[in-house]
Amino acid sequence: MPHSHDRTIVTCAADGQVRHAQILENGRVETKCLAKHQGRAHKLAVEPGSPHIFYTCGEDGLVQHFDLRTGAATELFTCQPIKDRWSYMPVIHLNAIAIDPRNPNLFAVAGSDEYARLYDIRRYKWDGSTDFGQPTDFFCPPHLIGDQQVGITGLAFSEQRELLVSYNDELIYLFTQDMGLGPNPPDPGSPKSMNSDASEIGFSHGSVSSQSNMDADDKITPQVFKGHRNCETVKGVNFFGPKCEYVVSGSDCGRIFIWKKKGGQLIRVMEADKHVVNCIESHPHTMVLASSGIENDIKIWTPKALEKATLPKNIEQKPKAKGWMYRIAYPEDLMQLISLPRRRVRTESNGENSSTDRDLLQLILTFNANSDSSNEDDDDGDTTSQDDLFS
């Protein structure tokens, strides 16, 4: 936590627990559980500059607000899908949460559908008298609106109030303030429709009525970053550089990818993990990166090369078959998945449905073993040494 003399740490994890750790004078660490999500909690967000306040989100769809001065959690809301999906998606399984550093009243969450949702904490009534679950803005690339096969694994805000969104089985997109879709997601039949009801919030889209059609199209088209692969795990995404000049992400191929934010040019690819790179965080003041993935260690990267490194060949690899965004861990998870309507398989008879269920079950039971072995030799043989630029 900021301004805590590096003695206060908050964590969340796959057990759903949100824990507060204090480092004592003798080096001993005391921790206590502040709250628990009913499912994995992949991400928390610390309010910029605050030694006390942070938020968490989890696969149960719950967003919680914490103030370490009280030691208690406030359950803000459970993220709901758009109305057309209520019948088969009771909640949005949340993977990511991020706070706008320029306006800490605003935070975004995202997970198992195509939308990044923006909320304003000022709309929450702390006496619980109002329903706070309605976003003030939605963000989504126009071509993904209505796509029920994608989800979001990572979010990040820049110091310029841009929103970076990483999709599973898709690409990374950069949204500016004026690219919001408004407080209500558009009809998938007209993805470029815009809504201006949220203009008073601050981080919302601006009016494009006075622009030409070409200008309007340019305005709602986010910058794209591609070359990495995000199919297998919950990967974060981040900005890098003193002025957020770069975008960084891990990949299923075990590499770190670095792009120029302006224009989306890929400038650096580094071998970082034998399997998958999930998390990349930058130092708050200097050009240092920390990365972690499937391996047990955390790697620290600093620039030292005298010559510019070359990119490996065949970076844009063919994506693997679409994997489950959420790995199956418990029998009840398995039964819930089987009971969900299949979007791509349509069968008529009960016999066909039963056969499909058995095939799906067999696929799930063998998924981990197959995926673990498939990563070992998935590289094209063109690797870049860690010593080329970073080590």
Side-chain angles (χ1 to χ4, degrees), residues 94-109:
L94 294 176
N95 294 322
I97 184 168
I99 299 174
D100 182 351
R102 297 285 295 275
N103 184 354
N105 293 305
L106 304 178
F107 65 93
V109 300

Side-chain angles (χ1 to χ4, degrees), residues 305-331:
L306 299 177
E307 297 179 1
K308 183 178 178 180
T310 59
L311 294 176
K313 299 177 182 179
N314 301 322
I315 292 174
E316 294 193 39
Q317 305 172 37
K318 293 181 180 179
K320 295 183 179 181
K322 290 178 182 286
W324 306 110
M325 176 179 279
Y326 308 100
R327 291 185 181 271
I328 307 305
Y330 305 104

